[in-house]
Amino acid sequence: ASRAAAPSVSALVLAAALSGCGVGAEGASPSELTTARDTAQLERTAASCTPLCSGSCTPVQIADAYGLDQPILPVGEHVYFSGAYNYEASYSFFGRASKSGGSSGLIAQNLQRPPLFLSNGTSAYAIFRSPGNSGYGYLNELRSDGSITPVPGIDGSLFLSTTAIDSTRLYTIDGNRVWATPLAGGAGWTQVTQPLTKGTPRSLRVDSSGVYIVADDVSANESTVWKATTRSLSRPVKLVTVPGSIVSLTLDDTHLYFADRTGGLFRALKGGGAVTQLATTATHLSVAVDAERYYWFNGTALTATCKSGGNFQVLATVSGSQTSTPGILSVNDEAIYWRNYSQIWKVAK
């Protein structure tokens, strides 16, 4: 099928601004007191959480690609993106942009579905759920030099739409169970968890201690984060249950961070326990973390909030075309990246 013409979309208007400092995140409304362990961990980050960009941030547009609808991923000197012009034909695409803003272009077009991107901190991959005649496999390594290498021997018999990786394995949810296969390929799928006892899985995360599954129970109007070990076949246990629907789950060494569809932003210990509400004004359903901060949209303000609960900084004010698709933020040691429906932006740290 030929590429569909993209309608004109007005540019995103951005004005960088530096906010003052306050106690807690802007718009915060804690629902429960943090635990002593929680507080101690946060205090360890307070001393080094100094303003980004030396206190004056400048947003830079690095790509213009109508139809963006998946999380973006910075790798090497590029930021990878994917999306679709529509879903009635093979109008999905896969592309990348230079981090410096020097070039942006599509790598593959006329795909049945947009590729998904995964990173374990050292390696990065693109998953094609329907490779077709694209020249790519189900799993493709994105290398820092810009090369893209299909991984042979990945079995595409399971539904590769809810995925995650750790240092050695690719995980997916199929039939209410988590399955895994080696990132090297060629060994088939192994069942990691027993079926969930309640809810429909929607997203998956993994770290060295286990897998985390977000499942919605529509009839009860609640959403649960389940956890299971990856070391042996196990039954998931409940960590967190909140009203509504959890989106944008992300992890650091000790905590879960997530948003809900009503503007709530939350944090909970990875071992379970009380949930702390960080804000009630989150938009765009997205949150990202690094060692010192969590990043979120406070209304139109792209905000970096110190995990210590003290300083916050507005990196940019975003208006114009917006999106409610989860996972639009990405962060690494160099910059914070975000997208709307047709553009990709960054703020260098």
Side-chain angles (χ1 to χ4, degrees):
S2 60
R3 177 175 172 178
S8 174
V9 180
S10 60
L12 197 69
V13 179
L14 293 152
L18 179 64
S19 171
C21 300
V23 178
E26 184 177 346
S29 177
S31 59
E32 297 188 43
L33 294 177
T34 57
T35 65
R37 177 183 169 189
D38 193 7
T39 302
Q41 171 66 24
L42 297 175
E43 287 175 350
R44 285 195 289 271
T45 70
S48 59
C49 193
T50 56
L52 299 171
C53 332
S54 299
S56 181
C57 298
T58 303
V60 176
Q61 183 180 338
I62 61 175
D64 190 343
Y66 170 79
L68 298 171
D69 70 351
Q70 297 294 331
I72 56 180
L73 178 65
V75 179
E77 296 303 314
H78 299 93
V79 176
Y80 289 84
F81 57 84
S82 66
Y85 304 119
N86 64 62
Y87 285 95
E88 296 179 1
S90 297
Y91 288 140
S92 296
F93 59 83
F94 167 44
R96 68 184 175 197
S98 168
K99 287 181 180 177
S100 63
S103 63
S104 174
L106 300 183
I107 300 170
Q109 301 182 63
N110 302 328
L111 306 172
Q112 290 186 10
R113 295 175 180 174
L116 309 174
F117 303 118
L118 298 171
S119 174
N120 57 19
T122 56
S123 300
Y125 298 86
I127 291 182
F128 283 65
R129 291 169 288 176
S130 302
N133 298 319
S134 65
Y136 297 103
Y138 288 104
L139 184 68
N140 308 269
E141 185 176 2
L142 308 175
R143 296 180 175 172
S144 59
D145 63 3
S147 62
I148 304 170
T149 305
V151 178
I154 295 294
D155 180 359
S157 61
L158 298 185
F159 194 50
L160 300 178
S161 63
T162 306
T163 56
I165 59 172
D166 61 16
S167 59
T168 59
R169 295 197 289 179
L170 166 67
Y171 298 82
T172 192
I173 295 178
D174 192 278
N176 260 21
R177 301 168 174 85
V178 178
W179 303 76
T181 191
L183 287 172
W189 293 95
T190 301
Q191 186 177 339
V192 175
T193 72
Q194 300 288 353
L196 291 181
T197 57
K198 191 176 183 181
T200 301
R202 281 198 310 100
S203 64
L204 180 67
R205 298 291 184 270
V206 63
D207 65 8
S208 59
S209 66
V211 292
Y212 303 81
I213 309 151
V214 176
D216 286 347
D217 185 341
V218 177
S219 62
N221 188 33
E222 64 182 24
S223 192
T224 298
V225 181
W226 300 79
K227 183 178 180 180
T229 179
T230 59
R231 293 186 292 272
S232 60
L233 182 62
S234 60
R235 186 171 299 281
V237 297
K238 286 185 180 182
L239 283 187
V240 171
T241 297
V242 298
S245 182
I246 292 173
V247 294
S248 299
L249 176 70
T250 191
L251 318 173
D252 64 12
D253 289 343
T254 57
H255 289 81
L256 312 173
Y257 292 79
F258 55 90
D260 68 13
R261 297 186 185 277
T262 66
L265 188 66
F266 304 88
R267 177 176 59 217
L269 285 166
K270 288 163 70 173
V275 176
T276 300
Q277 185 164 357
L278 302 171
T280 60
T281 54
T283 56
H284 296 258
L285 309 181
S286 186
V287 58
V289 299
D290 60 16
E292 296 179 336
R293 300 170 176 83
Y294 57 90
Y295 302 84
W296 57 294
F297 286 99
N298 182 8
T300 60
L302 173 59
T303 305
T305 302
C306 297
K307 292 178 181 178
S308 61
N311 300 341
F312 65 85
Q313 181 180 358
V314 176
L315 307 181
T317 302
V318 181
S319 61
S321 301
Q322 298 186 11
T323 178
S324 60
T325 304
I328 62 173
L329 274 170
S330 184
V331 62
N332 61 15
D333 291 340
E334 303 169 341
I336 303 95
Y337 306 84
W338 71 98
R339 67 158 182 81
N340 64 3
Y341 189 64
S342 61
Q343 298 156 339
I344 298 173
W345 294 78
K346 80 167 186 177
V347 165
K349 290 184 176 179

